[in-house]
């Protein structure tokens, strides 16, 4: 006699003997809602109260527009620089052995550990016209502090670990046999690098670039000291939010915050798309 | 019986030439060049700013350095920073462990979405993180009028600073533990339960020892960020000297008053914290790589 098994039912949770699901999930959802989702929803509610035209009105205000342009434009350049040098650093740290490699590897995480305000005043004093580096740059006619160049330097500082740490594990995973095969089949080392080794690294480099870019756009503490904060020249969008808040212009602050949030979520979406593409193309993230 | 092939069978070794260079690395001078570029870049962008903090802090000698810590405002800032971290870090540890337990030990619908939502604070600008709390608790905020009526102050007071700090450090513990606990699976807990342990007992004696290094690692990073957070705290603090100033905010005030030695002296305290964090972090990575993160990183 055939025993008819009950039809598999779609259920919320797979059965398990491990206890504590209700308690831990309930606690997680409660805390997440109170600490993260509710306050973010307050911002969205405020912004939707302004309507699209209200946000557009704030965004096209010349001072706001130039602050957004500085934040996004400089962050783009800084993320490019961080990605380029970050990839070199990642390659050197993973593939070569040299004295002090471990210490240098640890130093890469400094921007994660050093409070942004500390980094900010240190960069400002280094790149000021009478600072150690600023003096040298002044001789070749480059003004770093209190110009967008200073913002660029702070953003490279803050974005570098993202660029290095996303690429590094993938370089470690490279199968050396593929490189050997390429060499045996007659390719030069440069050919092997550009045609065999580097293409699979592209998704990781792009992800690191996007993370560094998003971080640079939102960064505040390490930038404001070196930027000089001249409206229309070296004023960044996060600073403008602070200024609007101090003037009790909540609507203006919310509008700028919403624009920044929208663009950083677009960047996050882009990262996910890159990773999905990478999974299809290379079989890994 | 076949003869073993010895190196002397190869003409290269006989003629005294060097064996061919490895085909899986670059030629010597390219390697040296790349290493030089990497070190020069890191030295200029990362090491130099760190050294500057200490050079500037001691620019006027030890007495001037120590004077910065004799001020009552500095004491208040140190105290507030310690209090903030002492609340925010344990809060996020409890949250992170609970979230990791629910997400890693069970299969349920919407798990990936939940992980994304927990990660959300990392992709929000610090200034926006502060702003959203002003929008909830500020005088023009959602429950601002109610708070004023009941004489409760959150924004421009210590609770706001703690809340903003919790927000910016929110994902640290959870995102470290979730992949680690997923990799460890549920077999050991199931064995403990089968042998009669209660759920809490299994957690304490089986799960906790398994995740302790990962947890310590996460606490370390969470604490560094909690003590060093500037943007979010700056928005909700109101900068009231001696009352709502954390160490990073104190650094800013001193710097803006052109009191550079004192500013860098206080900053050197935070830089020292960063260095200690980096050293312990590296030691943990070298010794316990397998126990910290899923798919142990190679070093």
């Amino acid at each position: 006699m055939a025993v008819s098994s009950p039809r598999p039912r779609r259920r919320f949770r797979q059965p398990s003997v491990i206890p504590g699901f209700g308690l831990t999930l309930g606690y997680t959802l409660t805390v997440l809602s109170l600490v993260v989702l509710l306050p973010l929803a307050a911002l969205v509610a405020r912004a939707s109260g302004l309507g699209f035209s209200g946000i557009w009105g704030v965004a096209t205000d010349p001072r706001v527009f130039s602050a957004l342009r500085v934040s996004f434009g400089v962050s783009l350049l800084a993320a490019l620089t961080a990605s380029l040098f970050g990839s070199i650093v990642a390659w050197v740290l993973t593939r070569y052995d040299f004295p002090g490699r471990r210490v240098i590897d640890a130093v890469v995480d400094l921007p994660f550990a050093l409070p942004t305000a500390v980094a900010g005043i240190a960069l400002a004093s280094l790149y000021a016209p009478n600072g150690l580096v600023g003096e040298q740059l002044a001789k070749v006619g480059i003004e770093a502090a209190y110009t967008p160049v200073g913002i660029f330097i702070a953003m490279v500082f803050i974005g570098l670990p993202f660029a290095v740490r996303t690429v590094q594990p993938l370089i470690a995973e490279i199968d050396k046999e593929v490189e050997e095969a390429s060499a045996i089949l007659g390719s030069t080392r440069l050919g092997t690098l550009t045609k065999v080794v580097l293409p699979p690294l592209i998704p990781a480099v792009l992800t690191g670039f996007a993370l560094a870019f998003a971080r640079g756009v939102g960064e505040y503490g390490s930038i404001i000291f070196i930027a000089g904060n001249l409206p229309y020249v070296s004023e960044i969008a996060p600073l403008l939010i602070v200024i609007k808040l101090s003037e009790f212009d909540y609507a203006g602050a919310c509008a700028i915050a919403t624009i920044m949030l929208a663009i950083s979520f677009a960047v996050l979406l882009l990262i996910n798309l890159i990773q999905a593409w990478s999974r299809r193309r290379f079989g890994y993230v | 019986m076949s003869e073993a092939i010895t190196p002397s069978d190869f003409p290269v070794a006989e003629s005294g030439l060097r064996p061919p260079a490895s085909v899986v690395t670059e030629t010597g001078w390219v390697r040296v060049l790349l290493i030089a570029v990497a070190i020069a870049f890191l030295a200029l962008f990362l090491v130099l700013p760190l050294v500057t903090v200490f050079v500037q802090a001691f620019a006027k000698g030890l007495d001037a350095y120590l004077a910065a810590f004799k001020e009552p405002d500095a004491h208040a800032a140190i105290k507030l920073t310690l209090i903030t971290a002492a609340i925010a870090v344990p809060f996020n540890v409890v949250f992170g462990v609970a979230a990791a337990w629910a997400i890693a030990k069970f299969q349920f619908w919407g798990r990936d979405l939940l992980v994304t939502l927990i990660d959300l604070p990392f992709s929000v600008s610090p200034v926006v993180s502060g702003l959203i709390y002003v929008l909830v608790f500020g005088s023009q905020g959602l429950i601002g009028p109610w708070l004023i009526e009941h004489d409760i102050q959150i924004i421009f007071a210590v609770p706001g600073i703690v809340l903003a700090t919790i927000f910016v450090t929110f994902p640290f513990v959870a995102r470290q533990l979730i992949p680690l606990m997923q990799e460890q699976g549920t077999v050991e807990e199931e064995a403990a339960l089968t042998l009669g342990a209660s759920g809490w007992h299994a957690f304490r004696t089986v799960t906790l020892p398994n995740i302790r290094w990962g947890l310590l690692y996460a606490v370390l990073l969470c604490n560094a960020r909690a003590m060093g957070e500037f943007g979010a705290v700056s928005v909700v603090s109101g900068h009231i000297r001696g009352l709502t100033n954390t160490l990073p905010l104190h650094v800013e005030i001193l710097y803006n008053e052109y009191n550079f030695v004192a500013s860098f002296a206080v900053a050197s305290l935070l830089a020292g914290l960063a260095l200690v964090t980096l050293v312990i972090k590296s030691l943990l990575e070298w010794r316990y790589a397998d126990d910290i993160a899923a798919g142990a990183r190679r070093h």
Side-chain angles (χ1 to χ4, degrees), chain B residues 8-262:
Chain B
S8 63
D9 292 335
F10 293 104
V12 174
E14 265 172 16
S15 62
L17 289 172
R18 282 195 301 161
S22 165
V23 293
V24 291
T25 189
E26 289 70 48
T27 44
W29 69 269
V30 177
R31 254 185 322 202
V32 171
L33 180 72
L34 285 178
I35 292 175
V37 167
I39 292 180
F41 187 80
L42 292 178
L44 179 66
F45 274 90
L46 303 189
V47 180
L48 201 56
L50 180 68
V51 174
T52 301
V53 173
F54 291 99
V55 170
Q56 297 277 2
F58 288 103
K60 299 250 166 75
L62 188 65
D63 288 339
Y65 177 82
L66 291 175
F69 300 105
K70 293 197 175 112
E71 269 191 79
D73 287 347
H75 291 174
I78 293 174
K79 202 172 135 200
L80 182 57
T81 296
L82 292 177
I83 290 173
T84 306
I87 301 171
V89 175
F91 182 93
N92 282 333
V93 166
V94 173
F95 169 79
V97 171
W101 183 268
I103 291 167
K105 301 288 182 193
F106 301 92
Q107 304 277 337
F108 59 93
W109 184 86
R111 222 164 42 134
D112 292 342
L113 177 69
L114 189 56
V115 174
T116 309
L117 290 178
I118 290 174
D119 259 353
L120 215 50
F122 273 171
S123 45
V124 175
S125 165
V127 170
V128 178
S129 310
L131 169 71
I132 58 176
Y133 284 101
V134 175
L135 293 179
V136 175
F137 300 111
S139 55
Q140 294 182 39
L142 277 185
I143 58 170
W146 185 86
L147 289 173
I148 292 170
E149 225 169 82
H150 292 79
D151 208 19
I152 304 170
Q153 191 153 26
I154 291 182
I155 297 305
F156 306 144
V158 177
I161 293 173
V162 173
L163 274 173
T165 306
I166 288 176
F167 182 90
V168 294
T169 57
F170 195 69
F172 272 107
V173 179
R175 74 148 37 175
Q176 186 74 36
L177 291 185
I178 290 168
L180 182 64
M181 281 165 73
Q182 265 170 343
E183 195 183 57
Q184 288 169 350
T186 54
V187 181
E188 292 182 32
E189 283 82 6
E190 280 163 13
L193 294 166
T194 314
L195 291 169
S198 68
W200 173 245
H201 193 66
F203 170 75
R204 224 163 34 86
T205 54
V206 176
T207 313
L208 211 51
N210 276 343
I211 61 168
R212 62 185 166 184
W213 296 115
L215 187 60
L216 182 63
Y217 187 83
V219 165
L220 192 71
L221 299 184
C222 181
N223 179 63
R225 182 74 196 264
M227 289 190 170
E229 177 53 28
F230 178 72
V233 169
S234 163
V235 170
V236 296
S237 127
H239 298 91
I240 307 163
R241 277 187 99 136
L243 280 180
T244 62
N245 262 353
T246 60
L247 278 176
L249 298 177
H250 193 55
V251 168
E252 183 201 18
I253 288 188
L254 291 171
Y255 189 86
N256 287 342
E257 288 172 348
Y258 302 102
N259 193 348
F260 294 131
V261 169

Side-chain angles (χ1 to χ4, degrees), chain A residues 69-147:
Chain A
R69 202 182 50 194
V70 167
S71 275
F72 284 98
V74 178
S75 185
L76 200 65
L77 288 177
L80 276 174
T81 311
S83 283
L84 175 68
F85 285 95
S87 302
I88 295 175
V89 170
W91 181 264
V92 164
L93 287 176
T94 334
R95 295 300 289 260
Y96 305 152
D97 208 11
F98 53 93
R101 188 182 60 88
R102 281 185 151 192
V103 175
I104 293 168
D105 190 90
V107 164
V108 170
D109 281 333
L110 185 71
F112 284 156
L114 195 67
T116 53
V118 177
I121 62 168
L123 289 173
S125 89
L126 268 180
Y127 288 88
N130 58 354
L132 198 60
V133 184
E135 211 169 22
Q136 303 307 316
L137 288 177
K139 279 180 192 160
V140 291
I142 300 173
E143 268 182 84
Y146 321 128
T147 69

Side-chain angles (χ1 to χ4, degrees), chain A residues 163-249:
Chain A
V164 178
R165 294 302 186 215
T166 42
V167 183
Q168 216 173 0
L170 268 188
I171 295 179
E173 302 264 302
I174 294 173
D175 197 349
K176 285 203 176 159
E177 283 169 17
V178 184
E179 287 174 68
E180 276 167 5
S182 167
I184 288 165
L185 291 170
S187 169
T188 61
R189 183 63 191 159
L190 189 66
T192 305
L193 280 181
T194 51
K195 294 197 183 110
V196 178
V197 178
L198 295 182
L201 297 179
I202 290 172
V205 174
L206 286 177
T207 305
F209 167 80
L211 286 172
F213 173 71
R215 179 68 205 262
V217 169
E219 182 54 26
Y220 175 71
S222 58
I223 296 176
I224 52 163
F225 297 102
I226 197 175
N229 310 323
L230 289 169
Y232 303 103
V233 178
S234 60
E235 192 173 58
I236 52 168
L239 177 70
L240 209 49
I241 293 180
V242 174
I243 292 174
K244 297 261 179 209
L245 264 182
S246 68
E247 292 166 351
F248 296 99
D249 178 7

